[in-house]
Amino acid sequence: MERALGEDIYQQSSPRTITDLLHNIDSVDSLTALSRYMHHAGRLHLVAGEQDPEVSDSLTAEEYLRIRRLIAAYYSVALTDCGTGVTHNAMSGILQSADNLVIAAGYAVSGAKRARSTLHWLASHGYEELARNAIVVITDKDEVSSRVDKAAIEEHLSDLCRMLIAVPHDRGVADGDLVTLSVLQPQTRRAYKEIAAAIVDGYQ
């Protein structure tokens, strides 16, 4: 949420969250009603997750699917930020309704292992097609250990997914706050366009 709105705007907005939407879902019968639970960043409309891990972890697969069905009635494309855990309570609902997966990785042994483990877990738990068609995005950072073989990481992960895309290090992304496309380096914008195109190709 902070990436789309900026930390200051998000904190000042007294946001409603996915929990508020779930509690009042029976009364949400129009796009106008749904928009009251959303934040708007240009053409991107967002439902905020919970900041409290105990609350966010309580969302069930059935609850997620209920919200997903509501949103699908008004939006043709929905993106879900799953965090880092494929065993989260809601993940079975997310995975069974997903057309594409984007898996984040980094140029580090631990980051590559997590991405590989995620793909292997998916393939061994009934989501072989999602794993095979996944997009792995490796985001570079300012300093990478000389012991890290970037080419080897890319080669290894690219064998496990449909497409691997590397995003270069960019100060416009590294601070963790609002991402403004106009200040990003041309090669960073190009990488993001490649990710978007790969997601669209996944619907065909």
Side-chain angles (χ1 to χ4, degrees):
M1 189 68 71
E2 290 86 350
R3 294 286 194 170
L5 299 175
E7 178 71 21
D8 291 340
I9 293 176
Y10 177 58
Q11 293 300 330
Q12 293 170 13
S13 63
S14 300
R16 290 183 172 182
T17 67
I18 193 170
T19 302
D20 298 314
L21 176 57
L22 185 62
H23 286 166
N24 298 288
I25 196 168
D26 289 332
S27 65
V28 179
D29 55 3
S30 68
L31 181 56
T32 299
L34 178 58
S35 68
R36 298 189 185 107
Y37 296 88
M38 290 183 156
H39 307 269
H40 299 84
R43 297 173 63 187
L44 184 63
H45 300 173
L46 306 105
V47 177
E50 293 293 344
Q51 298 298 309
D52 184 341
E54 290 188 9
V55 178
S56 64
D57 287 348
S58 67
L59 184 70
T60 68
E62 292 75 16
E63 290 169 338
Y64 171 82
L65 287 171
R66 194 176 181 199
I67 292 171
R68 179 72 175 80
R69 285 191 294 269
L70 173 65
I71 291 173
Y74 303 102
Y75 294 89
S76 56
V77 176
L79 305 175
T80 302
D81 183 350
C82 304
T84 58
V86 292
T87 58
H88 184 285
N89 292 335
M91 278 305 297
S92 64
I94 293 170
L95 292 172
Q96 66 182 270
S97 61
D99 297 294
N100 290 283
L101 288 182
V102 178
I103 297 174
Y107 286 117
V109 174
S110 57
K113 283 183 176 179
R114 281 194 296 271
R116 181 189 63 190
S117 296
T118 297
L119 290 164
H120 285 165
W121 185 94
L122 291 166
S124 62
H125 286 79
Y127 303 106
E128 297 92 342
E129 186 173 354
L130 277 178
R132 185 170 55 253
N133 291 320
I135 304 158
V136 173
V137 175
I138 301 183
T139 301
D140 206 349
K141 57 184 180 180
D142 194 17
E143 294 184 7
V144 176
S145 170
S146 59
R147 295 178 297 171
V148 173
D149 188 333
K150 291 185 177 182
I153 289 175
E154 291 178 3
E155 181 179 0
H156 178 67
L157 291 177
S158 64
D159 289 339
L160 301 174
C161 62
R162 172 166 58 91
M163 183 173 291
L164 182 142
I165 299 171
V167 178
H169 172 73
D170 195 313
R171 290 183 179 274
V173 178
D175 62 7
D177 199 13
L178 176 67
V179 174
T180 304
L181 293 179
S182 61
V183 304
L184 298 181
Q185 300 172 16
Q187 57 266 40
T188 305
R189 293 198 300 271
R190 189 178 307 114
Y192 286 154
K193 288 179 180 178
E194 290 177 5
I195 296 168
I199 292 172
V200 171
D201 286 344
Y203 286 101
Q204 299 176 357

